[in-house]
Amino acid sequence: MPNSVTPTHCPYCALQCGMNLTPAPDGTVEVSERADFPVNRGALCGKGRTAPAVLSSRVRLTSPLVRSGGTLVPASWDEALDRIAEGLSRTRTEHGPDACGVFGGGGLTNEKAYTLGKFARVVLGTSQIDYNGRFCMSSAAAGGMKAFGLDRGLPFPLEDIPKSGCVILVGSNLAETMPPSLRFFTELKENGGTLIVVDPRRTKTAEQADLHLMPRPGTDLALALGLLHLVVAEGRADEAYIGERTVGWEDARAAAMAHWPEYVERITGVPVPQLRETVRMFCEPESAMVLTARGPEQQSKGTDTVSAWINLCLATGRAGRPYSGYGCLTGQGNGQGGREHGQKADQLPGYRKLDDPAARAHVAEVWGVDPDALPGPGRSAYELLDALGTDIKSLLLMGSNPVVSAPRAAHIEERIKSLDFLAVCDVVLSETAALADVVLPVTQWAEETGTTTNLEGRVLLRRQAITPPDGIRSDLEVLHGLADRLGVEKGFPTDPEEVFEELRRASAGGPADYSGITYRRLAEENGVFWPCPTPGKDVPAGDHDVHPGTPRLFLERFAHPDGRARFVPVSHRAIAEEPDAEYPVLLTTGRVVAQYQSGAQTRRVDELNAAAPGPFVELHPRLAERLGAAEGDPVAVVSRRGRAVAPARITLGIRPDTVFMPFHWYGEGRANTLTNPALDPTSRMPEFKACAVRLETVER
């Protein structure tokens, strides 16, 4: 590659911040500001600034590894690919195609996610594919589909936030998880708008709020219902909007009216005056938004919780109006695109449903296969991982580290160890990769070209800036090589633009229609919002023959056939595991600014490790006093699933009945050893955000 500046995007969160990369004479890569990209306008967090550190051969994989005598040793690419093909083929022959599992990641480009889904269904013939994005925003996706008929994280650009009159931010600490986005909320306040933060901790984000509500973990559903009750009781519902643009109001209103303010205060711990002030702040401006993140979504009732917040928006006439509405803050870099193009157990490219005959026929035609040959829906992410070693004998895993990130993680580690065969494609030797029979070193963000879709639904072009080291191949090359070895010689190109051209055809006419998007447009226009269909033949040639993309959804109609949004009646119910005498405290989990997800990459960056060297247990002084723990003392957190030990961090910024642990680390501080895999019945989201624990002091 030439020694020049390449405009591209950060490999981490769903902001997909713009940055410039320049190869340096010493072989390193320099990051510089890219002010033209509207999401971050040049600003980068520490993770983005230090992202090139993982390109170093000091921390990344540089050769295929195969297990020999219990140890992973270097091998040739041919040997490694042959072993994977043999392992998968043997499993199919002995146990059938559904004994082969495929597990993807929310960091894979659209091209990789699309090809991985195609590989699972066409080459392996398995229904057993899902991805770690199931653990991210699946509850919001399910709630959005029910209400609006379409799921796109944000139905408007981030630049609309400062123009709103009020934003309720539910369960998001974006000051640490997406720092460059905080400026939109700062501008909101500078413009006279107000910010309400809902979080059981006084986070850096909550410190910016005009009003901070601190509900008990797992009670966000009751909180939203209580607010809707007050909207009705105070006569603040927009009856004209409800009549013109929605259906189902009567049942949703009746359900909300059972949640009177004092009852909600008892459930949530949020005082009634704060509930009333929230309703006033939300309803008085001309425009307002509700934005949710993992806090309310990672619950066994996450879909209902999202529905309750959407009901609040619909009842007050907020959704589908300028600078208003409901949105989800997608977490992973390509969590949005990853679920649109075939990694999820029940979906085909273009956000089509796998059990829809018309969808199957369309995609099968693009793939050149018989629709009847496509498998049906398979298991969701946790259920797939839980079936490893029993129903599922072999697993191909790309871009995920479930040994750290999955709920009940120690159990999932044992399931992975019980597999007959495990193959992992990754940039680094993660804790999961270390258990594999074959590990393949693959290219990463700066070494390859591909598209991602950020939290706004903006499709972006990540450009290759440097040449990958010798011995490294792309995931597309891996899937091509495996397909060839498994008897499918065509249909798995290695050029990302060629894959994207096929993805365009496969998505055409679907809810997530990318057919009007090209690499050229993405380069010239700084991204294009989907849906962006190809214009029909009756559109005149010239300036009007290119669809502009859709930055703002629902302004004229919602995506249901009648154009109306749906109220979904929901009622409060308890979390799956309430505290009791044996486990009297609630645990909630989350992230810290210097680490990302399972930490597989960020824990290899010296600057980030210095800022966040390890796990901790955040607890209130009253709880610490009862335990007899001082700042920095090791504390054991014990649930019905496991035990984790980390230093105490004592703060007034958390509820006295709650403890918090970040989940980025393996070892004795592995927080997800504790978390509850109880699943939402609709989204199949595990309940990461609330489980019962007890605390113990630890002698050192």
Coordinates of all heavy atoms in Angstrom, one line a residue, residues 592-672:
V592 N -16.1 -0.2 31.1 CA -15.3 0.9 31.5 C -14.7 1.5 30.3 O -14.5 0.9 29.2 CB -14.3 0.6 32.6 CG1 -14.9 0.1 33.8 CG2 -13.3 -0.5 32.0
V593 N -14.3 2.8 30.3 CA -13.9 3.5 29.1 C -12.7 3.0 28.4 O -12.6 3.0 27.2 CB -13.7 5.0 29.5 CG1 -12.5 5.2 30.4 CG2 -13.6 5.8 28.2
A594 N -11.7 2.4 29.2 CA -10.5 2.0 28.6 C -10.5 0.6 28.0 O -9.5 0.1 27.4 CB -9.3 2.1 29.6
Q595 N -11.6 -0.2 28.2 CA -11.6 -1.6 27.7 C -12.9 -1.7 26.8 O -13.8 -0.9 26.9 CB -11.7 -2.6 28.8 CG -10.5 -2.5 29.8 CD -9.2 -3.0 29.1 OE1 -9.2 -3.6 28.0 NE2 -8.1 -2.8 29.7
Y596 N -12.9 -2.8 26.0 CA -14.0 -3.0 25.1 C -14.4 -4.4 25.1 O -13.5 -5.3 24.9 CB -13.6 -2.6 23.7 CG -14.6 -2.8 22.6 CD1 -15.7 -1.9 22.6 CD2 -14.6 -3.8 21.7 CE1 -16.7 -2.1 21.6 CE2 -15.6 -3.9 20.7 CZ -16.6 -3.1 20.7 OH -17.6 -3.2 19.8
Q597 N -15.7 -4.7 25.3 CA -16.3 -6.0 25.2 C -15.5 -7.0 26.1 O -15.2 -6.8 27.2 CB -16.4 -6.5 23.8 CG -17.3 -5.5 22.9 CD -18.7 -5.4 23.4 OE1 -19.0 -4.6 24.4 NE2 -19.7 -6.1 22.8
S598 N -15.1 -8.2 25.5 CA -14.4 -9.2 26.3 C -12.9 -8.8 26.5 O -12.2 -9.5 27.2 CB -14.4 -10.5 25.5 OG -13.5 -10.5 24.4
G599 N -12.5 -7.7 26.0 CA -11.1 -7.2 26.3 C -10.0 -7.9 25.5 O -8.8 -7.7 25.7
A600 N -10.4 -8.8 24.6 CA -9.5 -9.6 23.9 C -8.4 -8.8 23.2 O -7.2 -9.2 23.1 CB -10.2 -10.6 22.9
Q601 N -8.8 -7.6 22.6 CA -7.9 -6.8 21.9 C -7.4 -5.7 22.9 O -6.2 -5.4 23.0 CB -8.5 -6.2 20.7 CG -8.8 -7.2 19.6 CD -9.4 -6.7 18.4 OE1 -9.0 -5.6 17.9 NE2 -10.4 -7.3 17.8
T602 N -8.3 -5.0 23.6 CA -7.9 -3.8 24.3 C -7.0 -4.2 25.5 O -6.1 -3.4 25.9 CB -9.1 -3.0 24.9 OG1 -10.0 -4.0 25.5 CG2 -9.8 -2.4 23.7
R603 N -7.1 -5.4 26.1 CA -6.2 -5.8 27.1 C -4.8 -6.0 26.7 O -3.9 -6.2 27.5 CB -6.8 -7.1 27.8 CG -7.9 -6.8 28.7 CD -8.3 -8.0 29.5 NE -9.3 -8.9 28.8 CZ -9.0 -10.2 28.5 NH1 -7.8 -10.7 28.7 NH2 -9.9 -10.9 27.8
R604 N -4.6 -6.0 25.4 CA -3.2 -6.1 24.8 C -2.6 -4.8 24.5 O -1.5 -4.7 23.9 CB -3.3 -7.0 23.6 CG -3.5 -8.5 23.9 CD -3.8 -9.3 22.7 NE -3.8 -10.7 23.0 CZ -4.7 -11.4 23.6 NH1 -5.8 -10.9 24.0 NH2 -4.5 -12.7 23.8
V605 N -3.3 -3.7 24.8 CA -2.8 -2.3 24.6 C -2.3 -1.7 25.9 O -3.1 -1.5 26.8 CB -3.9 -1.4 23.9 CG1 -3.3 0.0 23.7 CG2 -4.4 -2.1 22.6
D606 N -1.0 -1.4 26.0 CA -0.4 -1.0 27.2 C -1.1 0.3 27.8 O -1.3 0.3 29.0 CB 1.1 -0.7 27.0 CG 1.9 -1.9 26.7 OD1 1.4 -3.0 27.0 OD2 3.0 -1.8 26.2
E607 N -1.3 1.2 27.0 CA -2.0 2.5 27.5 C -3.3 2.2 28.1 O -3.7 2.8 29.1 CB -2.1 3.5 26.3 CG -2.7 4.8 26.8 CD -2.8 5.8 25.6 OE1 -1.9 5.8 24.7 OE2 -3.8 6.6 25.7
L608 N -4.1 1.3 27.5 CA -5.4 1.0 28.0 C -5.4 0.2 29.2 O -6.1 0.4 30.2 CB -6.2 0.3 26.9 CG -6.5 1.1 25.6 CD1 -7.3 0.3 24.6 CD2 -7.2 2.4 25.9
N609 N -4.4 -0.7 29.3 CA -4.3 -1.5 30.5 C -3.8 -0.7 31.7 O -4.2 -0.9 32.8 CB -3.3 -2.6 30.3 CG -3.9 -3.9 29.8 OD1 -5.1 -4.1 30.1 ND2 -3.2 -4.8 29.2
A610 N -3.0 0.3 31.4 CA -2.6 1.2 32.5 C -3.8 2.0 33.1 O -3.9 2.2 34.3 CB -1.5 2.2 32.0
A611 N -4.7 2.3 32.2 CA -5.9 3.1 32.6 C -6.9 2.2 33.3 O -7.7 2.6 34.2 CB -6.5 3.8 31.4
A612 N -7.0 0.9 32.9 CA -8.0 0.0 33.5 C -7.3 -1.4 33.6 O -7.5 -2.2 32.7 CB -9.2 -0.1 32.6
P613 N -6.5 -1.6 34.6 CA -5.7 -2.8 34.7 C -6.5 -4.1 35.1 O -5.9 -5.2 34.9 CB -4.7 -2.5 35.7 CG -5.3 -1.4 36.6 CD -6.2 -0.6 35.7
G614 N -7.7 -3.9 35.6 CA -8.3 -5.1 36.1 C -9.7 -4.9 36.6 O -10.2 -3.7 36.6
P615 N -10.4 -5.9 36.9 CA -11.8 -5.8 37.4 C -11.9 -5.2 38.8 O -10.9 -5.0 39.5 CB -12.3 -7.2 37.4 CG -11.1 -8.1 37.7 CD -10.0 -7.3 36.9
F616 N -13.1 -4.8 39.2 CA -13.4 -4.3 40.5 C -14.8 -4.5 40.8 O -15.6 -4.9 40.0 CB -13.0 -2.8 40.6 CG -13.8 -1.9 39.6 CD1 -15.0 -1.4 39.8 CD2 -13.2 -1.6 38.4 CE1 -15.7 -0.7 38.9 CE2 -13.8 -0.8 37.4 CZ -15.1 -0.4 37.7
V617 N -15.2 -4.4 42.1 CA -16.5 -4.5 42.6 C -16.9 -3.1 43.2 O -16.3 -2.7 44.2 CB -16.7 -5.6 43.7 CG1 -18.1 -5.7 44.1 CG2 -16.2 -6.9 43.2
E618 N -17.9 -2.5 42.5 CA -18.3 -1.2 43.0 C -19.5 -1.4 44.0 O -20.4 -2.1 43.7 CB -18.8 -0.4 41.8 CG -19.1 1.1 42.1 CD -19.4 1.9 40.9 OE1 -18.5 2.3 40.2 OE2 -20.6 2.0 40.6
L619 N -19.4 -0.8 45.2 CA -20.4 -1.0 46.2 C -20.5 0.3 47.0 O -19.6 1.1 47.2 CB -20.2 -2.2 47.1 CG -18.9 -2.3 48.0 CD1 -19.1 -3.4 49.0 CD2 -17.6 -2.5 47.3
H620 N -21.7 0.4 47.6 CA -22.1 1.6 48.4 C -21.4 1.5 49.8 O -21.1 0.4 50.3 CB -23.6 1.7 48.6 CG -24.1 3.0 49.2 ND1 -24.1 3.2 50.5 CD2 -24.6 4.1 48.6 CE1 -24.6 4.4 50.8 NE2 -24.9 5.0 49.6
P621 N -21.0 2.7 50.4 CA -20.4 2.6 51.7 C -21.1 1.8 52.8 O -20.5 1.1 53.6 CB -20.2 4.1 52.1 CG -20.2 4.8 50.8 CD -21.1 4.0 49.9
R622 N -22.5 1.9 52.8 CA -23.2 1.2 53.8 C -23.1 -0.3 53.6 O -23.0 -1.1 54.6 CB -24.7 1.6 53.7 CG -25.0 3.0 54.1 CD -26.4 3.2 54.8 NE -27.5 2.8 53.9 CZ -28.1 3.7 53.1 NH1 -27.7 5.0 53.0 NH2 -29.1 3.3 52.3
L623 N -23.1 -0.8 52.4 CA -22.9 -2.2 52.1 C -21.5 -2.6 52.4 O -21.3 -3.7 53.0 CB -23.2 -2.4 50.6 CG -23.2 -3.9 50.1 CD1 -24.2 -4.7 50.9 CD2 -23.6 -4.0 48.6
A624 N -20.5 -1.8 52.1 CA -19.1 -2.1 52.5 C -18.9 -2.2 54.0 O -18.2 -3.1 54.5 CB -18.2 -1.0 51.9
E625 N -19.6 -1.3 54.7 CA -19.5 -1.3 56.2 C -20.1 -2.6 56.7 O -19.5 -3.2 57.6 CB -20.2 -0.1 56.8 CG -20.1 0.0 58.3 CD -20.7 1.3 58.8 OE1 -21.4 2.0 58.1 OE2 -20.6 1.5 60.0
R626 N -21.2 -3.0 56.2 CA -21.8 -4.3 56.7 C -20.9 -5.5 56.4 O -20.9 -6.4 57.2 CB -23.2 -4.5 56.1 CG -24.3 -3.5 56.5 CD -25.7 -4.1 56.3 NE -26.0 -4.4 54.9 CZ -26.4 -3.5 54.0 NH1 -26.7 -2.3 54.4 NH2 -26.7 -3.9 52.8
L627 N -20.3 -5.4 55.3 CA -19.4 -6.5 54.9 C -18.1 -6.4 55.6 O -17.4 -7.5 55.8 CB -19.1 -6.4 53.3 CG -18.3 -7.5 52.7 CD1 -19.0 -8.8 52.8 CD2 -18.0 -7.1 51.2
G628 N -17.7 -5.2 56.1 CA -16.4 -5.1 56.7 C -15.3 -4.9 55.7 O -14.1 -5.4 55.9
A629 N -15.6 -4.4 54.5 CA -14.6 -4.2 53.5 C -14.2 -2.8 53.3 O -15.0 -1.8 53.4 CB -15.2 -4.7 52.1
A630 N -12.9 -2.5 53.1 CA -12.4 -1.2 52.9 C -12.0 -1.1 51.4 O -11.9 -2.0 50.7 CB -11.1 -0.9 53.8
E631 N -11.7 0.2 51.0 CA -11.3 0.4 49.6 C -10.1 -0.4 49.2 O -9.1 -0.5 49.9 CB -11.0 1.9 49.4 CG -10.5 2.3 48.0 CD -11.7 2.4 47.0 OE1 -12.9 2.5 47.5 OE2 -11.4 2.5 45.8
G632 N -10.3 -1.2 48.1 CA -9.2 -2.0 47.6 C -9.1 -3.4 48.2 O -8.4 -4.2 47.7
D633 N -9.9 -3.7 49.2 CA -9.9 -5.0 49.8 C -10.5 -6.0 48.7 O -11.5 -5.7 48.0 CB -10.8 -5.1 51.0 CG -10.1 -4.5 52.2 OD1 -8.9 -4.1 52.1 OD2 -10.8 -4.3 53.3
P634 N -10.0 -7.2 48.7 CA -10.6 -8.2 47.8 C -12.0 -8.6 48.3 O -12.1 -8.9 49.5 CB -9.6 -9.4 47.8 CG -8.8 -9.2 49.1 CD -8.8 -7.8 49.3
V635 N -12.9 -8.6 47.4 CA -14.3 -9.0 47.7 C -14.7 -10.1 46.8 O -14.5 -10.0 45.6 CB -15.2 -7.8 47.6 CG1 -16.7 -8.2 47.7 CG2 -14.9 -6.7 48.6
A636 N -15.3 -11.2 47.3 CA -15.9 -12.2 46.5 C -17.4 -11.9 46.3 O -18.1 -11.7 47.2 CB -15.7 -13.6 47.2
V637 N -17.8 -12.0 45.0 CA -19.2 -11.9 44.6 C -19.6 -13.3 44.2 O -19.0 -13.9 43.3 CB -19.4 -10.9 43.5 CG1 -20.8 -10.7 43.2 CG2 -18.7 -9.6 43.8
V638 N -20.6 -13.8 44.8 CA -21.0 -15.2 44.6 C -22.5 -15.3 44.2 O -23.4 -14.7 44.8 CB -20.9 -16.1 45.9 CG1 -21.2 -17.5 45.7 CG2 -19.5 -15.9 46.5
S639 N -22.7 -16.0 43.1 CA -24.1 -16.2 42.6 C -24.4 -17.7 42.6 O -23.5 -18.5 42.9 CB -24.3 -15.6 41.2 OG -23.8 -16.4 40.2
R640 N -25.5 -18.1 42.2 CA -25.8 -19.5 42.1 C -25.0 -20.2 41.0 O -25.1 -21.4 40.9 CB -27.3 -19.7 41.8 CG -28.2 -19.4 43.0 CD -29.7 -19.5 42.7 NE -30.5 -19.3 43.9 CZ -30.9 -18.1 44.4 NH1 -30.5 -17.0 43.8 NH2 -31.6 -18.0 45.5
R641 N -24.3 -19.4 40.2 CA -23.6 -20.0 39.0 C -22.1 -20.0 39.2 O -21.4 -20.7 38.5 CB -24.0 -19.3 37.7 CG -25.4 -19.6 37.3 CD -26.0 -18.4 36.5 NE -26.1 -17.2 37.3 CZ -27.1 -17.0 38.1 NH1 -28.1 -17.9 38.3 NH2 -27.2 -15.9 38.8
G642 N -21.6 -19.1 40.1 CA -20.1 -19.1 40.2 C -19.7 -18.0 41.2 O -20.5 -17.4 42.0
R643 N -18.4 -17.8 41.2 CA -17.8 -16.9 42.2 C -16.7 -16.1 41.4 O -15.9 -16.6 40.6 CB -17.1 -17.7 43.3 CG -16.5 -17.0 44.4 CD -16.0 -18.0 45.4 NE -15.6 -17.4 46.7 CZ -14.3 -17.0 47.0 NH1 -13.4 -17.3 46.1 NH2 -14.0 -16.5 48.2
A644 N -16.7 -14.7 41.7 CA -15.7 -13.9 41.1 C -15.1 -13.0 42.3 O -15.8 -12.6 43.2 CB -16.2 -13.0 40.1
V645 N -13.8 -12.7 42.2 CA -13.1 -11.9 43.2 C -12.4 -10.7 42.6 O -11.7 -10.9 41.6 CB -12.1 -12.8 44.0 CG1 -11.3 -12.0 45.0 CG2 -12.7 -14.0 44.6
A646 N -12.6 -9.6 43.2 CA -12.0 -8.3 42.7 C -11.9 -7.3 43.8 O -12.6 -7.4 44.8 CB -12.8 -7.8 41.5
P647 N -11.1 -6.3 43.6 CA -11.0 -5.3 44.7 C -12.2 -4.4 44.8 O -12.9 -4.2 43.9 CB -9.8 -4.4 44.2 CG -9.1 -5.2 43.2 CD -10.1 -6.1 42.6
A648 N -12.5 -4.0 46.1 CA -13.7 -3.2 46.3 C -13.4 -1.8 45.9 O -12.3 -1.2 46.1 CB -14.0 -3.2 47.8
R649 N -14.4 -1.2 45.2 CA -14.3 0.3 44.9 C -15.6 0.9 45.5 O -16.7 0.6 45.1 CB -14.3 0.5 43.4 CG -14.2 1.9 43.0 CD -14.1 2.1 41.5 NE -12.8 1.5 41.0 CZ -12.4 1.6 39.7 NH1 -13.2 2.2 38.8 NH2 -11.2 1.1 39.3
I650 N -15.4 1.6 46.6 CA -16.5 2.1 47.4 C -16.9 3.5 46.9 O -16.1 4.4 46.8 CB -16.1 2.1 48.9 CG1 -15.7 0.7 49.3 CG2 -17.2 2.7 49.8 CD1 -15.2 0.6 50.7
T651 N -18.2 3.7 46.7 CA -18.7 5.0 46.1 C -20.1 5.2 46.5 O -20.9 4.3 46.7 CB -18.6 4.9 44.6 OG1 -19.2 6.1 44.1 CG2 -19.3 3.7 44.0
L652 N -20.5 6.5 46.7 CA -21.8 6.9 47.0 C -22.7 6.8 45.7 O -23.9 7.0 45.8 CB -21.9 8.3 47.6 CG -21.4 8.4 49.0 CD1 -21.2 9.9 49.3 CD2 -22.3 7.8 50.0
G653 N -22.0 6.6 44.6 CA -22.7 6.7 43.3 C -23.4 5.4 42.8 O -23.5 5.1 41.6
I654 N -23.8 4.5 43.8 CA -24.5 3.3 43.5 C -25.5 3.1 44.5 O -25.3 3.5 45.7 CB -23.5 2.1 43.3 CG1 -24.2 0.9 42.7 CG2 -22.9 1.8 44.6 CD1 -23.3 -0.2 42.3
R655 N -26.6 2.4 44.2 CA -27.6 2.1 45.2 C -27.0 1.1 46.3 O -26.2 0.3 46.0 CB -28.8 1.4 44.5 CG -29.6 2.2 43.5 CD -30.7 1.4 42.8 NE -31.5 0.7 43.8 CZ -32.6 1.1 44.3 NH1 -33.1 2.3 43.9 NH2 -33.3 0.4 45.2
P656 N -27.5 1.3 47.5 CA -27.0 0.4 48.6 C -27.3 -1.1 48.4 O -26.7 -1.9 49.1 CB -27.6 1.0 49.8 CG -28.0 2.4 49.5 CD -28.3 2.4 48.0
D657 N -28.3 -1.4 47.6 CA -28.7 -2.8 47.4 C -28.1 -3.4 46.2 O -28.5 -4.5 45.8 CB -30.2 -2.9 47.4 CG -30.9 -2.0 46.2 OD1 -30.1 -1.4 45.5 OD2 -32.1 -2.0 46.1
T658 N -27.1 -2.7 45.6 CA -26.6 -3.1 44.3 C -25.1 -3.1 44.2 O -24.5 -2.2 44.9 CB -27.2 -2.2 43.2 OG1 -28.6 -2.3 43.2 CG2 -26.7 -2.6 41.8
V659 N -24.5 -4.0 43.5 CA -23.1 -4.0 43.2 C -22.9 -4.0 41.7 O -23.7 -4.5 41.0 CB -22.2 -5.1 43.9 CG1 -22.3 -5.0 45.4 CG2 -22.7 -6.5 43.4
F660 N -21.8 -3.4 41.3 CA -21.5 -3.4 39.8 C -20.1 -4.0 39.6 O -19.2 -3.8 40.3 CB -21.5 -1.9 39.4 CG -20.9 -1.7 38.0 CD1 -21.6 -1.9 36.8 CD2 -19.5 -1.3 37.8 CE1 -21.1 -1.7 35.6 CE2 -19.0 -1.2 36.6 CZ -19.7 -1.4 35.5
M661 N -20.0 -4.8 38.5 CA -18.7 -5.3 38.0 C -18.6 -5.1 36.5 O -19.6 -5.4 35.8 CB -18.6 -6.8 38.3 CG -18.4 -7.1 39.8 SD -17.9 -8.9 40.0 CE -16.2 -8.9 39.4
P662 N -17.5 -4.6 36.0 CA -17.2 -4.6 34.6 C -16.9 -6.1 34.1 O -16.4 -6.9 34.9 CB -16.0 -3.7 34.4 CG -15.3 -3.8 35.7 CD -16.3 -4.0 36.7
F663 N -17.1 -6.4 32.8 CA -17.1 -7.8 32.4 C -15.9 -8.1 31.4 O -15.9 -9.1 30.7 CB -18.4 -8.2 31.8 CG -18.8 -7.4 30.5 CD1 -18.3 -7.8 29.3 CD2 -19.6 -6.4 30.6 CE1 -18.6 -7.1 28.1 CE2 -20.0 -5.7 29.4 CZ -19.5 -6.1 28.2
H664 N -14.9 -7.2 31.4 CA -13.9 -7.3 30.3 C -12.8 -8.4 30.6 O -11.9 -8.6 29.8 CB -13.2 -6.0 30.2 CG -14.1 -4.8 30.0 ND1 -14.8 -4.6 28.8 CD2 -14.4 -3.8 30.8 CE1 -15.5 -3.5 29.0 NE2 -15.3 -3.0 30.1
W665 N -12.8 -9.0 31.8 CA -11.6 -9.8 32.2 C -11.9 -11.3 32.4 O -13.1 -11.6 32.7 CB -11.0 -9.2 33.5 CG -10.3 -7.9 33.3 CD1 -9.0 -7.7 32.9 CD2 -10.9 -6.6 33.4 NE1 -8.8 -6.4 32.8 CE2 -9.9 -5.7 33.1 CE3 -12.2 -6.1 33.7 CZ2 -10.1 -4.3 33.1 CZ3 -12.4 -4.8 33.8 CH2 -11.3 -3.9 33.5
Y666 N -10.9 -12.1 32.2 CA -11.0 -13.5 32.5 C -10.4 -13.7 33.9 O -10.2 -12.8 34.6 CB -10.1 -14.2 31.4 CG -10.2 -15.7 31.4 CD1 -11.4 -16.4 31.1 CD2 -9.1 -16.5 31.6 CE1 -11.5 -17.8 31.1 CE2 -9.1 -17.9 31.6 CZ -10.3 -18.5 31.4 OH -10.4 -19.9 31.4
G667 N -10.2 -14.9 34.3 CA -9.6 -15.2 35.6 C -10.6 -15.1 36.7 O -11.8 -15.2 36.5
E668 N -10.0 -14.8 37.9 CA -10.9 -14.9 39.1 C -11.9 -13.7 39.1 O -12.9 -13.7 39.8 CB -10.1 -14.9 40.4 CG -9.3 -13.6 40.7 CD -8.6 -13.7 42.0 OE1 -8.7 -14.8 42.7 OE2 -8.0 -12.7 42.4
G669 N -11.6 -12.6 38.3 CA -12.5 -11.5 38.3 C -13.5 -11.5 37.1 O -14.1 -10.5 36.8
R670 N -13.7 -12.7 36.6 CA -14.6 -12.9 35.4 C -16.1 -12.7 35.8 O -16.7 -13.6 36.4 CB -14.4 -14.2 34.8 CG -15.3 -14.5 33.6 CD -14.9 -15.7 32.7 NE -14.6 -16.9 33.5 CZ -14.5 -18.1 33.0 NH1 -14.7 -18.3 31.7 NH2 -14.3 -19.2 33.8
A671 N -16.6 -11.5 35.5 CA -18.0 -11.2 36.0 C -19.1 -12.0 35.4 O -20.1 -12.4 36.1 CB -18.3 -9.7 35.7
N672 N -18.9 -12.4 34.2 CA -20.0 -13.2 33.5 C -20.0 -14.7 34.0 O -20.9 -15.4 33.6 CB -19.8 -13.2 32.0 CG -20.5 -11.9 31.4 OD1 -21.5 -11.4 32.0 ND2 -19.9 -11.4 30.4

